[in-house]
Coordinates of all heavy atoms in Angstrom, one line a residue:
M7 N 0.8 -1.2 0.1 CA 0.0 0.0 0.0 C 0.9 1.2 0.0 O 1.9 1.3 0.7 CB -0.9 -0.1 1.3 CG -2.0 0.8 1.2 SD -3.0 0.8 2.8 CE -3.8 2.3 2.6
K8 N 0.4 2.3 -0.7 CA 1.3 3.5 -0.8 C 0.5 4.6 0.0 O -0.7 4.6 0.1 CB 1.3 3.9 -2.3 CG 2.5 3.1 -2.9 CD 2.6 3.6 -4.4 CE 3.8 2.9 -5.0 NZ 3.9 3.1 -6.4
Y9 N 1.3 5.5 0.5 CA 0.9 6.6 1.3 C 1.7 7.8 0.9 O 2.9 7.7 0.8 CB 1.0 6.2 2.8 CG 0.0 7.0 3.7 CD1 -1.2 6.6 3.8 CD2 0.5 8.0 4.4 CE1 -2.1 7.2 4.6 CE2 -0.3 8.7 5.2 CZ -1.7 8.3 5.3 OH -2.5 9.0 6.2
P10 N 1.0 9.0 0.9 CA 1.7 10.2 0.5 C 2.7 10.6 1.6 O 2.4 10.5 2.8 CB 0.7 11.3 0.3 CG -0.5 10.7 1.0 CD -0.4 9.2 1.0
K11 N 3.9 11.2 1.3 CA 4.8 11.7 2.2 C 4.4 12.9 2.9 O 4.7 13.1 4.0 CB 6.2 11.9 1.5 CG 7.4 11.5 2.2 CD 8.7 11.7 1.5 CE 9.3 10.5 1.1 NZ 10.5 10.7 0.2
E12 N 3.8 13.8 2.1 CA 3.2 15.0 2.6 C 1.7 15.1 2.3 O 1.3 14.8 1.1 CB 4.0 16.2 2.0 CG 5.3 16.4 2.7 CD 6.2 17.4 2.0 OE1 5.8 17.9 0.9 OE2 7.3 17.6 2.4
L13 N 1.1 15.6 3.3 CA -0.4 15.7 3.0 C -1.1 16.8 3.9 O -0.5 17.2 4.9 CB -1.1 14.3 3.3 CG -1.2 13.8 4.7 CD1 -2.4 12.8 4.8 CD2 0.1 13.1 5.0
M14 N -2.2 17.2 3.5 CA -3.0 18.2 4.3 C -3.8 17.3 5.3 O -4.5 16.4 5.0 CB -3.8 18.9 3.4 CG -3.2 19.9 2.5 SD -2.4 21.2 3.2 CE -3.7 22.3 3.6
A15 N -3.7 17.8 6.6 CA -4.5 17.1 7.6 C -4.8 18.0 8.8 O -4.2 19.1 8.9 CB -3.6 15.8 8.2
Y16 N -5.8 17.6 9.5 CA -6.3 18.5 10.5 C -5.3 18.4 11.7 O -4.8 17.4 12.2 CB -7.6 18.0 11.1 CG -8.2 18.8 12.2 CD1 -8.5 20.1 12.1 CD2 -8.2 18.2 13.5 CE1 -9.0 20.8 13.2 CE2 -8.7 18.9 14.6 CZ -9.1 20.2 14.4 OH -9.6 21.0 15.5
C17 N -4.9 19.6 12.2 CA -4.0 19.7 13.5 C -4.9 20.2 14.6 O -5.4 21.4 14.4 CB -2.8 20.6 13.1 SG -1.9 20.9 14.6
P18 N -5.1 19.6 15.6 CA -5.9 20.0 16.7 C -5.3 21.2 17.5 O -6.0 22.0 18.1 CB -6.1 18.8 17.7 CG -5.3 17.6 17.1 CD -4.7 18.2 15.8
N19 N -4.0 21.4 17.4 CA -3.3 22.3 18.1 C -3.5 23.7 17.4 O -3.8 24.8 17.9 CB -1.8 22.1 18.2 CG -1.1 23.0 19.2 OD1 -1.5 23.1 20.3 ND2 0.0 23.6 18.8
C20 N -3.4 23.7 16.0 CA -3.7 24.8 15.2 C -5.0 25.1 14.9 O -5.5 26.1 14.4 CB -2.9 24.8 13.8 SG -1.1 24.4 14.0
N21 N -5.9 24.0 15.2 CA -7.3 24.1 14.9 C -7.6 24.3 13.4 O -8.5 25.2 13.1 CB -8.0 25.0 15.8 CG -9.6 24.8 15.8 OD1 -10.0 23.6 15.5 ND2 -10.2 25.7 16.2
A22 N -6.8 23.8 12.5 CA -7.0 24.0 11.0 C -6.3 22.9 10.3 O -5.5 22.1 10.8 CB -6.3 25.4 10.7
H23 N -6.6 22.9 9.0 CA -5.9 21.9 8.1 C -4.5 22.6 7.8 O -4.6 23.6 7.2 CB -6.7 21.5 7.0 CG -7.7 20.5 7.2 ND1 -8.8 20.6 8.0 CD2 -7.6 19.1 6.7 CE1 -9.4 19.4 8.0 NE2 -8.8 18.6 7.3
T24 N -3.5 21.8 8.0 CA -2.2 22.2 7.6 C -1.4 21.2 6.9 O -1.8 20.0 6.9 CB -1.3 22.7 8.9 OG1 -1.4 21.6 9.8 CG2 -2.0 23.9 9.5
E25 N -0.3 21.5 6.4 CA 0.7 20.5 5.8 C 1.3 19.6 6.8 O 1.7 20.2 7.9 CB 1.8 21.3 5.0 CG 2.6 20.5 4.1 CD 2.0 20.2 2.7 OE1 1.0 20.9 2.4 OE2 2.5 19.3 2.0
H26 N 1.2 18.3 6.6 CA 1.8 17.4 7.5 C 2.8 16.5 6.8 O 2.6 16.2 5.7 CB 0.7 16.5 8.2 CG 0.0 17.2 9.3 ND1 -0.9 18.1 9.1 CD2 0.0 16.9 10.6 CE1 -1.4 18.5 10.2 NE2 -1.0 17.8 11.2
K27 N 3.9 16.1 7.6 CA 4.8 15.1 7.1 C 4.4 13.8 7.7 O 4.2 13.7 8.9 CB 6.2 15.5 7.5 CG 6.9 16.3 6.5 CD 8.4 16.5 7.0 CE 9.1 17.5 6.0 NZ 10.4 17.9 6.6
A28 N 4.4 12.7 6.8 CA 4.0 11.3 7.4 C 5.2 10.5 7.5 O 6.3 10.6 6.8 CB 3.1 10.7 6.3
K29 N 5.2 9.7 8.6 CA 6.3 8.8 8.9 C 5.7 7.6 9.5 O 4.7 7.6 10.3 CB 7.3 9.5 10.0 CG 8.7 9.1 10.0 CD 9.5 10.0 10.9 CE 9.3 9.6 12.3 NZ 10.1 10.4 13.3
L30 N 6.4 6.5 9.3 CA 5.8 5.2 9.9 C 6.2 5.2 11.4 O 7.4 5.5 11.8 CB 6.5 4.0 9.2 CG 5.7 2.7 9.2 CD1 4.4 2.8 8.4 CD2 6.5 1.6 8.6
A31 N 5.3 4.9 12.2 CA 5.5 4.8 13.7 C 6.4 3.6 14.0 O 6.2 2.5 13.5 CB 4.1 4.6 14.4
S32 N 7.4 3.8 14.8 CA 8.3 2.7 15.1 C 7.8 2.1 16.4 O 7.2 2.7 17.2 CB 9.8 3.3 15.2 OG 9.7 4.3 16.2
K33 N 8.2 0.8 16.6 CA 7.9 0.0 17.7 C 8.7 0.6 19.0 O 9.9 0.9 18.8 CB 8.3 -1.4 17.5 CG 7.1 -2.3 17.8 CD 7.5 -3.8 17.5 CE 6.4 -4.8 17.8 NZ 6.9 -6.1 17.7
G34 N 8.0 0.6 20.0 CA 8.7 1.1 21.2 C 9.6 0.0 21.8 O 9.7 -1.1 21.3
K35 N 10.4 0.2 23.0 CA 11.3 -0.7 23.5 C 10.4 -1.7 24.2 O 9.5 -1.4 24.9 CB 12.2 0.0 24.5 CG 13.5 -0.6 24.7 CD 14.3 0.3 25.7 CE 15.6 -0.3 26.0 NZ 16.3 0.5 27.0
A36 N 10.8 -3.0 24.0 CA 10.1 -4.1 24.7 C 10.3 -4.1 26.2 O 11.5 -3.9 26.6 CB 10.5 -5.4 24.1
R37 N 9.3 -4.3 27.0 CA 9.5 -4.4 28.4 C 9.5 -5.8 28.8 O 8.4 -6.5 28.7 CB 8.3 -3.6 29.2 CG 8.5 -2.1 28.9 CD 7.2 -1.4 29.5 NE 6.0 -1.9 28.9 CZ 4.9 -2.0 29.5 NH1 4.8 -1.9 30.8 NH2 3.8 -2.4 28.9
P38 N 10.6 -6.4 29.3 CA 10.6 -7.8 29.7 C 9.7 -8.2 30.7 O 9.4 -9.5 30.9 CB 12.1 -8.0 30.0 CG 12.6 -6.6 30.3 CD 11.9 -5.7 29.5
L39 N 9.4 -7.3 31.6 CA 8.5 -7.7 32.7 C 7.0 -7.4 32.5 O 6.2 -7.5 33.4 CB 8.9 -7.0 34.1 CG 10.3 -7.5 34.6 CD1 10.7 -6.8 35.8 CD2 10.3 -9.0 34.8
A40 N 6.7 -7.0 31.4 CA 5.3 -6.7 31.0 C 4.5 -8.1 31.1 O 5.1 -9.2 30.8 CB 5.1 -6.2 29.6
V41 N 3.2 -8.0 31.4 CA 2.4 -9.2 31.6 C 2.5 -10.1 30.4 O 2.7 -11.4 30.5 CB 0.9 -8.8 31.9 CG1 0.1 -10.1 32.1 CG2 0.8 -8.0 33.1
G42 N 2.2 -9.6 29.2 CA 2.2 -10.4 28.0 C 3.6 -11.1 27.8 O 3.7 -12.3 27.4
N43 N 4.7 -10.4 28.1 CA 6.0 -11.1 27.8 C 6.2 -12.2 28.9 O 6.9 -13.2 28.6 CB 7.1 -10.0 28.0 CG 7.2 -9.3 26.7 OD1 7.0 -9.7 25.6 ND2 7.6 -8.0 26.8
R44 N 5.8 -12.0 30.1 CA 6.0 -13.0 31.2 C 5.2 -14.2 30.8 O 5.6 -15.4 30.9 CB 5.6 -12.5 32.5 CG 6.6 -11.6 33.1 CD 6.3 -11.1 34.5 NE 5.1 -10.1 34.4 CZ 4.4 -9.7 35.4 NH1 4.4 -10.4 36.5 NH2 3.4 -8.8 35.2
K45 N 4.0 -14.0 30.3 CA 3.1 -15.1 29.8 C 3.7 -15.9 28.8 O 3.7 -17.1 28.8 CB 1.8 -14.4 29.5 CG 0.5 -15.5 29.3 CD -0.7 -14.6 29.0 CE -1.8 -15.5 28.7 NZ -3.0 -14.8 28.3
H46 N 4.3 -15.1 27.8 CA 4.9 -15.9 26.6 C 6.1 -16.7 27.1 O 6.2 -17.8 26.6 CB 5.4 -14.8 25.6 CG 6.0 -15.3 24.5 ND1 5.2 -16.1 23.5 CD2 7.2 -15.2 24.0 CE1 6.1 -16.4 22.5 NE2 7.3 -15.9 22.8
E47 N 6.8 -16.1 28.0 CA 8.0 -16.9 28.5 C 7.6 -18.2 29.2 O 8.2 -19.3 29.1 CB 8.9 -16.0 29.4 CG 10.2 -15.7 28.7 CD 10.9 -14.5 29.2 OE1 11.1 -14.5 30.4 OE2 11.1 -13.6 28.4
R48 N 6.5 -18.1 30.0 CA 6.0 -19.2 30.7 C 5.6 -20.3 29.6 O 5.8 -21.6 29.9 CB 4.9 -18.8 31.6 CG 5.1 -18.9 33.1 CD 3.9 -18.5 33.9 NE 3.7 -17.0 33.8 CZ 2.5 -16.5 33.6 NH1 1.4 -17.2 33.3 NH2 2.5 -15.2 33.6
K49 N 5.0 -19.8 28.6 CA 4.5 -20.8 27.6 C 5.6 -21.5 26.9 O 5.5 -22.7 26.5 CB 3.7 -19.9 26.6 CG 2.5 -20.7 26.1 CD 1.7 -19.8 25.2 CE 0.5 -20.5 24.5 NZ -0.2 -19.7 23.7
L50 N 6.7 -20.8 26.7 CA 7.9 -21.5 26.1 C 8.6 -22.6 27.0 O 9.2 -23.4 26.4 CB 9.0 -20.3 25.7 CG 8.6 -19.4 24.6 CD1 9.8 -18.4 24.4 CD2 8.3 -20.1 23.3
M51 N 8.3 -22.4 28.2 CA 9.0 -23.4 29.2 C 8.3 -24.9 29.0 O 9.0 -25.8 29.3 CB 8.8 -23.0 30.6 CG 9.9 -21.9 31.0 SD 10.1 -21.8 32.7 CE 8.7 -20.7 33.1
G52 N 7.1 -24.9 28.4 CA 6.6 -26.3 28.4 C 5.4 -26.5 29.1 O 4.9 -25.5 29.7
H53 N 4.9 -27.7 29.2 CA 3.6 -28.0 29.7 C 2.4 -27.6 29.0 O 2.3 -26.4 28.7 CB 3.4 -27.6 31.3 CG 4.4 -28.1 32.2 ND1 4.4 -29.5 32.4 CD2 5.4 -27.6 32.9 CE1 5.4 -29.7 33.3 NE2 6.0 -28.6 33.5
G54 N 1.5 -28.5 28.5 CA 0.5 -28.0 27.6 C 0.9 -28.4 26.2 O 2.0 -28.1 25.8
G55 N 0.1 -29.0 25.4 CA 0.5 -29.5 24.2 C 0.6 -28.5 23.0 O -0.2 -27.7 22.9
K56 N 1.7 -28.5 22.3 CA 1.8 -27.9 21.0 C 2.9 -28.6 20.3 O 4.0 -28.7 20.8 CB 2.1 -26.4 21.3 CG 2.1 -25.6 20.1 CD 2.7 -24.3 20.2 CE 2.9 -23.5 18.9 NZ 3.7 -22.3 19.0
R57 N 2.5 -29.0 19.1 CA 3.5 -29.8 18.3 C 4.4 -28.8 17.5 O 3.8 -27.8 17.0 CB 2.8 -30.8 17.5 CG 2.5 -32.1 18.2 CD 1.7 -33.0 17.5 NE 0.4 -32.6 17.2 CZ -0.5 -33.2 16.5 NH1 -0.2 -34.5 16.0 NH2 -1.7 -32.8 16.3
A58 N 5.6 -29.1 17.5 CA 6.6 -28.3 16.8 C 6.3 -28.3 15.3 O 6.0 -29.2 14.7 CB 8.0 -28.7 17.0
G59 N 6.4 -27.0 14.7 CA 6.2 -27.0 13.3 C 4.8 -26.9 12.8 O 4.6 -26.8 11.6
E60 N 3.8 -27.0 13.7 CA 2.4 -27.0 13.2 C 1.8 -25.7 13.7 O 1.9 -25.3 14.9 CB 1.6 -28.2 13.9 CG 1.4 -29.3 12.9 CD 0.7 -30.4 13.5 OE1 -0.4 -30.1 14.2 OE2 1.0 -31.6 13.4
K61 N 1.1 -25.0 12.8 CA 0.6 -23.7 13.1 C -0.9 -23.9 13.1 O -1.5 -24.3 12.1 CB 1.0 -22.6 12.2 CG 2.4 -22.1 12.6 CD 2.9 -21.1 11.6 CE 4.3 -20.7 12.0 NZ 5.0 -20.1 10.9
S62 N -1.6 -23.5 14.2 CA -3.1 -23.5 14.2 C -3.7 -22.3 13.7 O -4.9 -22.4 13.3 CB -3.5 -23.9 15.6 OG -3.0 -22.9 16.5
V63 N -3.0 -21.1 13.7 CA -3.5 -19.9 13.4 C -2.8 -19.3 12.2 O -1.6 -19.3 12.2 CB -3.5 -18.9 14.6 CG1 -4.1 -17.5 14.3 CG2 -4.2 -19.5 15.8
K64 N -3.6 -18.8 11.3 CA -3.1 -18.2 10.0 C -2.8 -16.7 10.5 O -3.6 -16.1 11.1 CB -4.0 -18.3 8.9 CG -3.3 -18.4 7.6 CD -4.4 -18.5 6.5 CE -3.7 -18.5 5.1 NZ -4.7 -18.5 4.1
K65 N -1.7 -16.3 10.0 CA -1.2 -14.9 10.3 C -2.2 -13.9 9.6 O -2.4 -14.0 8.4 CB 0.2 -14.6 10.0 CG 1.2 -14.6 11.1 CD 2.5 -14.2 10.7 CE 3.5 -14.4 11.7 NZ 4.9 -14.1 11.3
Q66 N -2.7 -12.9 10.4 CA -3.4 -11.8 9.8 C -2.5 -10.7 9.6 O -1.5 -10.5 10.4 CB -4.5 -11.5 10.8 CG -5.9 -11.7 10.2 CD -6.9 -11.5 11.2 OE1 -6.6 -11.5 12.5 NE2 -8.2 -11.4 10.8
G67 N -2.8 -9.8 8.7 CA -2.0 -8.7 8.4 C -2.2 -7.7 9.6 O -3.1 -7.8 10.4
K68 N -1.3 -6.7 9.7 CA -1.4 -5.7 10.8 C -1.8 -4.3 10.3 O -1.6 -4.0 9.1 CB 0.0 -5.5 11.5 CG 0.3 -6.6 12.4 CD 1.6 -6.5 13.1 CE 1.9 -7.6 14.0 NZ 3.3 -7.5 14.5
R69 N -2.5 -3.7 11.1 CA -2.9 -2.3 10.7 C -1.7 -1.4 11.0 O -0.9 -1.5 12.0 CB -4.1 -1.8 11.6 CG -5.3 -2.5 11.4 CD -6.5 -1.9 11.9 NE -7.7 -2.5 11.6 CZ -8.4 -3.2 12.3 NH1 -8.3 -3.2 13.6 NH2 -9.5 -3.9 11.8
Q70 N -1.4 -0.5 10.0 CA -0.2 0.3 10.0 C -0.6 1.7 10.8 O -1.7 2.1 10.7 CB 0.3 0.6 8.7 CG 0.4 -0.6 7.8 CD 1.8 -1.3 7.9 OE1 2.8 -0.6 8.4 NE2 1.9 -2.5 7.7
K71 N 0.4 2.1 11.5 CA 0.2 3.4 12.2 C 1.2 4.5 11.6 O 2.4 4.1 11.4 CB 0.5 3.3 13.6 CG -0.1 4.4 14.5 CD 0.2 4.1 16.0 CE -0.8 3.4 16.7 NZ -0.4 3.2 18.1
V72 N 0.8 5.6 11.3 CA 1.5 6.6 10.7 C 1.5 7.9 11.6 O 0.5 8.1 12.2 CB 0.8 7.1 9.4 CG1 1.4 8.3 8.9 CG2 1.0 6.0 8.4
I73 N 2.7 8.4 11.8 CA 2.9 9.6 12.6 C 2.8 10.8 11.7 O 3.6 10.9 10.7 CB 4.2 9.6 13.4 CG1 4.3 8.3 14.3 CG2 4.3 10.9 14.2 CD1 3.5 8.4 15.5
L74 N 1.9 11.8 11.9 CA 1.9 12.9 11.2 C 2.4 14.1 12.0 O 2.0 14.3 13.0 CB 0.4 13.2 10.8 CG -0.4 12.2 10.0 CD1 -1.8 12.6 9.7 CD2 0.4 12.0 8.6
E75 N 3.4 14.8 11.4 CA 3.9 16.0 12.0 C 3.5 17.3 11.4 O 3.6 17.5 10.1 CB 5.5 15.9 12.0 CG 6.1 16.9 13.0 CD 7.6 16.9 12.9 OE1 8.3 15.8 13.0 OE2 8.2 17.9 12.5
C76 N 2.9 18.2 12.1 CA 2.4 19.5 11.6 C 3.7 20.3 11.3 O 4.6 20.4 12.0 CB 1.6 20.2 12.6 SG 1.0 21.8 12.2
A77 N 3.6 20.9 10.1 CA 4.7 21.7 9.6 C 4.8 23.0 10.3 O 5.8 23.7 10.3 CB 4.5 22.0 8.1
Q78 N 3.7 23.5 10.9 CA 3.6 24.8 11.5 C 4.0 24.7 13.0 O 4.9 25.5 13.4 CB 2.2 25.5 11.4 CG 2.1 26.0 10.0 CD 0.7 26.7 9.8 OE1 0.2 27.1 10.8 NE2 0.2 26.7 8.6
C79 N 3.4 23.9 13.7 CA 3.6 23.8 15.2 C 4.5 22.6 15.6 O 4.8 22.5 16.8 CB 2.3 23.8 16.0 SG 1.3 22.3 15.7
R80 N 4.8 21.7 14.7 CA 5.6 20.6 15.0 C 5.1 19.6 16.0 O 5.7 18.7 16.4 CB 7.1 21.0 15.5 CG 7.8 21.9 14.5 CD 8.9 21.2 13.8 NE 9.3 21.9 12.7 CZ 10.0 21.4 11.7 NH1 10.4 20.1 11.8 NH2 10.3 22.1 10.6
K81 N 3.8 19.6 16.2 CA 3.1 18.7 17.1 C 2.9 17.4 16.2 O 2.7 17.5 15.0 CB 1.8 19.2 17.6 CG 2.0 20.3 18.7 CD 1.9 19.9 20.0 CE 2.0 21.0 21.0 NZ 2.0 20.6 22.4
K82 N 2.8 16.3 16.9 CA 2.6 15.1 16.1 C 1.3 14.4 16.5 O 0.8 14.4 17.6 CB 3.7 14.1 16.5 CG 5.1 14.5 15.9 CD 6.1 13.6 16.4 CE 7.5 14.3 15.9 NZ 8.6 13.7 16.7
Q83 N 0.6 13.9 15.5 CA -0.6 13.1 15.7 C -0.4 11.7 15.1 O 0.4 11.6 14.2 CB -1.8 13.8 14.9 CG -2.5 15.0 15.6 CD -1.7 16.2 15.3 OE1 -1.3 16.9 16.1 NE2 -1.7 16.6 14.0
E84 N -1.0 10.8 15.7 CA -1.0 9.5 15.0 C -2.2 9.1 14.3 O -3.3 9.5 14.7 CB -0.5 8.4 15.9 CG -1.3 8.2 17.3 CD -0.6 7.2 18.2 OE1 0.6 7.2 18.3 OE2 -1.5 6.4 18.7
R85 N -2.1 8.3 13.3 CA -3.2 8.0 12.4 C -3.1 6.4 12.1 O -2.1 6.0 11.7 CB -3.3 8.8 11.2 CG -4.4 8.5 10.3 CD -4.3 9.3 9.0 NE -4.9 10.6 9.2 CZ -5.1 11.6 8.3 NH1 -4.7 11.3 7.1 NH2 -5.6 12.7 8.6
V86 N -4.2 5.8 12.4 CA -4.2 4.2 12.1 C -4.9 4.1 10.8 O -6.0 4.6 10.5 CB -4.9 3.4 13.2 CG1 -4.9 2.0 12.8 CG2 -4.1 3.7 14.5
I87 N -4.2 3.3 9.9 CA -4.8 3.1 8.7 C -5.6 1.8 8.8 O -5.2 0.8 9.1 CB -3.7 2.9 7.5 CG1 -3.0 4.2 7.4 CG2 -4.3 2.5 6.2 CD1 -1.8 4.2 6.7
G88 N -6.9 1.9 8.4 CA -7.9 0.9 8.8 C -7.8 -0.5 8.2 O -7.9 -1.5 8.9
S89 N -7.3 -0.6 6.9 CA -7.2 -1.9 6.4 C -5.9 -2.6 6.8 O -4.8 -2.0 7.0 CB -7.2 -1.7 4.8 OG -6.2 -0.9 4.3
R90 N -6.0 -3.9 6.9 CA -4.9 -4.7 7.3 C -4.0 -5.0 6.1 O -4.5 -5.3 5.1 CB -5.4 -6.1 7.9 CG -6.0 -5.9 9.3 CD -6.6 -7.1 9.8 NE -7.1 -6.9 11.1 CZ -6.9 -7.7 12.1 NH1 -6.2 -8.8 11.9 NH2 -7.4 -7.4 13.3
T91 N -2.7 -4.9 6.3 CA -1.8 -5.3 5.2 C -0.6 -6.2 5.7 O -0.3 -6.0 6.9 CB -1.1 -4.0 4.6 OG1 -0.6 -3.2 5.7 CG2 -2.1 -3.2 3.8
K92 N -0.1 -6.9 4.8 CA 1.0 -7.8 5.3 C 2.4 -7.2 4.9 O 3.4 -7.5 5.5 CB 0.9 -9.2 4.6 CG -0.2 -9.9 5.2 CD -0.3 -11.4 4.8 CE -1.5 -12.0 5.5 NZ -1.7 -13.4 5.1
K93 N 2.3 -6.1 4.1 CA 3.6 -5.4 3.7 C 3.6 -4.1 4.4 O 2.5 -3.6 4.7 CB 3.6 -5.3 2.2 CG 4.0 -6.5 1.5 CD 3.9 -6.2 -0.1 CE 4.1 -7.5 -0.9 NZ 4.0 -7.3 -2.2
K94 N 4.8 -3.6 4.6 CA 5.0 -2.3 5.2 C 4.6 -1.2 4.2 O 4.6 -1.4 3.0 CB 6.4 -2.1 5.5 CG 6.8 -2.4 7.0 CD 8.1 -1.9 7.4 CE 8.4 -2.2 8.9 NZ 9.7 -1.8 9.2
L95 N 4.2 -0.1 4.8 CA 3.7 1.0 4.0 C 4.9 1.6 3.1 O 6.0 1.7 3.6 CB 3.2 2.2 4.9 CG 1.8 2.1 5.3 CD1 1.4 3.5 5.9 CD2 0.8 1.9 4.2
E96 N 4.5 2.0 2.0 CA 5.4 2.7 1.0 C 5.1 4.1 1.0 O 3.9 4.4 0.8 CB 5.5 2.1 -0.3 CG 6.4 0.9 -0.5 CD 6.2 0.3 -1.9 OE1 6.4 1.1 -2.9 OE2 5.9 -0.8 -2.0
F97 N 6.1 5.0 1.1 CA 5.7 6.5 1.1 C 6.0 6.9 -0.3 O 7.1 6.7 -0.9 CB 6.4 7.3 2.1 CG 5.9 7.0 3.4 CD1 6.6 6.1 4.3 CD2 4.8 7.6 3.9 CE1 6.1 5.9 5.5 CE2 4.3 7.3 5.1 CZ 4.9 6.4 6.0
S98 N 5.0 7.6 -1.0 CA 5.3 8.1 -2.3 C 5.3 9.7 -2.2 O 4.7 10.2 -1.3 CB 4.1 7.7 -3.3 OG 2.9 8.1 -2.7
A99 N 6.0 10.3 -3.1 CA 6.2 11.8 -3.0 C 5.0 12.5 -3.4 O 4.1 12.0 -4.0 CB 7.4 12.1 -3.9
Ligands
ZN105 ZN1 -0.2 22.5 14.1

């Protein structure tokens, strides 16, 4: 999927439509003690059946998140693109 590098979008700080720069949101640092990570590690230790090499769930695509930066006030807004994609967003000029 392609997405424009620069676009007009609403900025709540300026309360108007202004030029925005688009950038793909990057993943934050993983927290090793977060509930989900502890749960995952417990699962890897064993107990409970799962056969190696067999997948029960087919992977679904992810929704992409884009960070929009206002050219006037430099504030950032995030925007989620509704459709799921398996490939990363491409930015077109
Ligand atoms: Zn602004």
Side-chain angles (χ1 to χ4, degrees):
M7 199 180 156
K8 281 184 179 173
Y9 202 78
K11 217 180 250 176
E12 283 170 359
L13 67 159
M14 293 292 280
Y16 175 71
C17 172
N19 195 52
C20 304
N21 197 22
H23 272 73
T24 54
E25 190 83 16
H26 279 71
K27 269 185 188 170
K29 207 174 76 179
L30 205 65
S32 56
K33 230 180 178 183
K35 208 177 177 187
R37 292 173 299 141
L39 291 181
V41 178
N43 281 329
R44 282 181 287 161
K45 194 175 173 185
H46 180 65
E47 247 157 59
R48 250 181 283 134
K49 217 173 173 181
L50 289 182
M51 279 197 274
H53 296 298
K56 189 194 172 187
R57 279 177 288 182
E60 261 182 43
K61 279 175 187 166
S62 54
V63 180
K64 210 177 178 187
K65 258 191 193 172
Q66 243 171 343
K68 282 180 180 172
R69 294 195 174 113
Q70 309 273 335
K71 200 182 266 179
V72 167
I73 303 284
L74 298 178
E75 192 186 304
C76 175
Q78 285 182 26
C79 66
R80 301 259 161 192
K81 291 256 181 188
K82 288 167 188 166
Q83 279 87 241
E84 53 184 45
R85 179 181 279 186
V86 175
I87 296 160
S89 57
R90 291 177 175 223
T91 51
K92 290 191 176 173
K93 285 180 185 170
K94 267 194 175 176
L95 274 189
E96 274 176 56
F97 290 100
S98 56

